[in-house]
Amino acid sequence: PRLAPSAGASSMRRPPSGRIHSCLWAGSSALSTVVSSTLTTTTARRAGPIRARAALTLLTTALPRLPPGSRSLTASGASGGLAAERAKTVAVRPARRTRRPARLPPARRRCQRLRSSCRLSAPVLCLRAASGSAGGRTPLSQRASGNLTTTFMYRWRDGRDADLFSPAALQQMCEVENEILRGEHYGEVCFNDPNAAFYTTASGTRCALPRLSAPSLFYVPWQSGGGCASLSPSERLTAEVEEGVACSGGYTGMPTAPFWTDGSHTRKCTLLDEAYVAERAAWLYAAAAEHEGVRDRLGFFLASDALQLNETHASRSSVPLGSPVVGKDGRVVEPWAATLHEDFVEAAKKRLFNKFKMREDRPFWSPWRDSAETADLSIRFLSGAMLQGEFGDLMKTDFFMVIFSILFVLVYMCYHTGCLTLGCLGLLMILLSFPLALFLYVVVFRVRYFAMIHVLAIFIALGVGADDIFVYVNAWRHSRRVATSFEARIAYAHRKTYRAVLATSFTTAVAFFATWVSPVMPVGAFGCFAALAIVMTFALVISFFPAALMIWELRFRRAKCVGCCCPCIGRCALPSVGPEGGGGEAGGGEAGGG
């Protein structure tokens, strides 16, 4: 008989008779109550009600076979019993939800409308027009980008034996680093360091002054050290080194006014007091020698023997940029931000080139070969983005060198063979060795690594392939003296070329294959590819070029305007043969090339 339901409880059937069935029913009921309550609360919170119902349905089907009413318990905190949830799931199957596209921020939507209307090409201008103001709008990153960080190395230009921390040298360092800070869009790409002591607020943006900068140790707006008594020794040192708090009592002539320019992100590179610089440098050397923590911080700016000499002959600075802000999905929040950072680094590089008079207008000459110098300093600077840009520029220059090499080899082969057609066929044979070598490299040897260094194998193939063609052409010319029939001459030239070219190609290929055991993977991969290119060149020399020579000699040599057989060019250097294999015209064949 059905029990009368009490207030706030659901109805259930009486447990079946028998100890085993009663225990099984009670245990499964308790288990379903606990698990359904947990799944209903946690799963619904994380995955939504639809997945929660699916999980409850899976739970109810996994329970043992019990009397019909044993699964209709109401879980505490759930919206209904398991049976009710299962009924809802079966009865009402919700339609599959279509995922809405991500809603763009208002500024981006205005930007897209402006771009479609006025066709703005620069993302910065588009965003400024969409935002309605002139300030930087990129969300400032609190993570420095190593690839966008410019590092400067400073030394005395004349190699003098004096401390590099002098007023004149520090002023020149400050002016050099200002070439990065004074960029037009620096407020949109700067590094918002949360641990920095000093910030600039030009154009409504908050940018941290570079901490790992040699001028930052001296261009400091000092404050009195009245509150240093409550600090620990390590905190006092930190305040003295990085925060501009004179806990040690101060220095003679120390500046107190801020050094950043109003309305800009640059420093005021004024000439510091000589006594102040000397006392400040002496304190830094002493603190680094006495305290290991200070030594770790200041070691970035000092030479290896600075603590022994109490002066440094070299120093360095690091001017970081903030990396583009990345969302939770790992993608850049503003897709054009990466391009903006790259454009800023490129513009900063050009400003540094102009400051150091490093010329970019000379063909086949990199401005990085010029010296970067100021009145007293010799400077070296580089960043990852600058290195990538220079690598791309070098590849463009080297591409023209490759074209020049190919044209030079083509002209010389045409001159040596005496025929434009054979020269072009020989160059085609050399170029065909590359796809064949790439097939063996990737498919047979299963090497997936292919870099720009592999392209350099074209110079090796050009030299080896042209040399092999010259050997075959010389053997063909010499065959006229030892054989009379066409077949005998081909056999003689092939036999002489095969023996000579096999020896040179085999030794060269083995030499490049030997680099495969190198622990430097790019070197070994390049050696393997170059060796395969040489092997393919040898195979084409003894198969492709003899066939091309035979077809040209028998079919096209006497045709007009084919290769060198135009009337304006004259006869070819290769000796002609008659259709029956005779020697052809008397005295003909060696004219022009023999």
Side-chain angles (χ1 to χ4, degrees), residues 24 42 52 126 143 180 183 237 266 386 397 433 500 531 557 587:
L24 182 61
T42 61
C126 182
R143 183 169 59 91
I180 303 291
L237 292 173
T266 59
M386 293 181 185
T397 304
S433 64
R557 183 181 181 278

Side-chain angles (χ1 to χ4, degrees), residues 426-486:
L427 181 62
L428 176 63
M429 180 207 72
I430 296 174
L431 298 180
L432 284 177
S433 64
F434 271 82
L436 297 176
L438 186 62
F439 174 80
L440 295 178
Y441 181 77
V442 176
V443 178
V444 178
F445 288 87
R446 296 185 178 276
V447 182
R448 304 300 181 186
Y449 177 78
F450 191 89
M452 297 304 299
I453 189 176
H454 290 65
V455 182
L456 298 178
I458 189 173
F459 296 101
I460 302 173
L462 283 173
V464 174
D467 182 70
D468 294 346
I469 291 175
F470 297 158
V471 172
Y472 193 92
V473 170
N474 290 335
W476 170 254
R477 288 173 177 172
H478 189 263
S479 65
R480 183 175 179 274
R481 303 174 184 176
V482 297
T484 56
S485 65
F486 185 81

Side-chain angles (χ1 to χ4, degrees), residues 58-69:
L58 179 62
L59 175 65
T60 56
T61 56
L63 290 176
R65 297 284 182 178
L66 295 176

Side-chain angles (χ1 to χ4, degrees), residues 216-500:
S216 66
L217 299 175
F218 297 86
Y219 285 88
V220 181
W222 289 99
Q223 305 173 13
S224 62
C228 295
S230 60
L231 301 178
S232 63
S234 61
E235 291 175 344
R236 293 180 186 178
L237 292 173
T238 301
E240 183 90 16
V241 173
E242 298 181 359
E243 299 177 4
V245 180
C247 294
S248 62
Y251 310 96
T252 303
M254 65 180 185
T256 58
F259 280 99
W260 48 87
T261 307
D262 295 336
S264 175
H265 297 282
T266 59
R267 288 191 180 99
K268 294 179 181 179
C269 301
T270 59
L271 188 64
L272 299 175
D273 185 79
E274 188 173 356
Y276 158 69
V277 173
E279 293 181 10
R280 173 65 170 168
W283 185 91
L284 292 174
Y285 297 140
E290 295 176 5
H291 304 280
E292 184 177 358
V294 179
R295 188 184 312 122
D296 295 338
R297 297 178 186 178
L298 298 181
F300 179 83
F301 308 101
L302 305 179
S304 58
D305 57 350
L307 299 183
Q308 289 78 17
L309 302 176
N310 282 332
E311 61 181 23
T312 181
H313 305 295
S315 185
R316 59 180 171 177
S317 296
S318 180
V319 182
L321 298 181
S323 59
V325 179
V326 178
K328 295 182 180 180
D329 56 353
R331 299 181 179 180
V332 179
V333 175
E334 299 290 348
W336 51 265
T339 305
L340 176 62
H341 283 67
E342 295 174 0
D343 294 342
F344 180 86
V345 173
E346 184 66 21
K349 182 184 70 173
K350 292 184 178 298
R351 290 195 299 270
L352 290 171
F353 284 168
N354 293 333
K355 181 176 181 59
F356 299 131
K357 296 180 175 55
M358 303 167 66
R359 297 176 56 186
E360 298 183 87
D361 55 350
R362 289 171 292 184
F364 304 105
W365 180 268
S366 173
W368 293 96
R369 296 182 179 181
D370 297 334
S371 299
E373 297 176 342
T374 59
D376 300 312
L377 300 178
S378 175
I379 304 172
R380 294 184 179 182
F381 63 95
L382 189 64
S383 68
M386 293 181 185
L387 182 62
Q388 294 176 0
E390 178 64 14
F391 183 77
D393 296 339
L394 289 177
M395 291 304 302
K396 295 177 183 178
T397 304
D398 293 345
F399 181 74
F400 289 106
M401 297 298 294
V402 171
I403 296 178
F404 174 77
S405 301
I406 292 175
L407 293 178
F408 177 80
V409 172
L410 173 63
V411 171
Y412 192 80
M413 283 196 301
C414 293
Y415 168 75
H416 187 82
T417 59
C419 186
L420 177 63
T421 304
L422 290 180
C424 294
L425 290 175
L427 181 62
L428 176 63
M429 180 207 72
I430 296 174
L431 298 180
L432 284 177
S433 64
F434 271 82
L436 297 176
L438 186 62
F439 174 80
L440 295 178
Y441 181 77
V442 176
V443 178
V444 178
F445 288 87
R446 296 185 178 276
V447 182
R448 304 300 181 186
Y449 177 78
F450 191 89
M452 297 304 299
I453 189 176
H454 290 65
V455 182
L456 298 178
I458 189 173
F459 296 101
I460 302 173
L462 283 173
V464 174
D467 182 70
D468 294 346
I469 291 175
F470 297 158
V471 172
Y472 193 92
V473 170
N474 290 335
W476 170 254
R477 288 173 177 172
H478 189 263
S479 65
R480 183 175 179 274
R481 303 174 184 176
V482 297
T484 56
S485 65
F486 185 81
E487 293 79 3
R489 294 183 61 190
I490 286 291
Y492 174 83
H494 194 275
R495 184 170 59 254
K496 297 287 288 186
T497 304
Y498 173 78
R499 293 175 180 177

